[in-house]
Amino acid sequence: MITAIVMIKADVHRIPEVAEAIAEIEGVSEVYSVTGGVDLIAMVRVRAHEGLAEVIPGHVNKVPGVISSDTHISFQTYSKHDLESAFALGW
């Protein structure tokens, strides 16, 4: 499983609708509205690196109201949750 943390700058007047649209994209597990240098943080989880290209530039960056994004890829997950089992169940 590959996890990408996507920092998103959005049109400030459209943040709620942008967040909702991004949350509906397959591969996006969570979207957070935050303060600071970015407006939203999206967690993208896919099975292979190729999936990131489909989800982030293919869908997230095309949502109306997204101004820019910066992607950080996680190389290791430290969690008490068994995420592989969750994916096996169709999460």
Side-chain angles (χ1 to χ4, degrees), residues 22-90:
I22 292 171
E24 294 296 320
I25 296 170
E26 186 174 341
V28 175
S29 62
E30 303 151 71
V31 179
Y32 301 93
S33 178
V34 296
T35 60
V38 296
D39 302 302
L40 300 168
I41 297 175
M43 303 299 289
V44 175
R45 292 190 169 98
V46 295
R47 293 192 181 273
H49 283 98
E50 297 80 23
L52 293 176
E54 181 180 329
V55 175
I56 299 166
H59 296 291
V60 171
N61 291 347
K62 293 182 179 177
V63 170
V66 170
I67 296 169
S68 66
S69 70
D70 186 27
T71 302
H72 301 264
I73 298 172
S74 167
F75 293 101
Q76 178 66 40
T77 301
Y78 301 93
S79 176
K80 292 182 181 182
H81 305 287
D82 186 354
L83 296 176
E84 283 301 320
S85 293
F87 270 97
L89 293 172

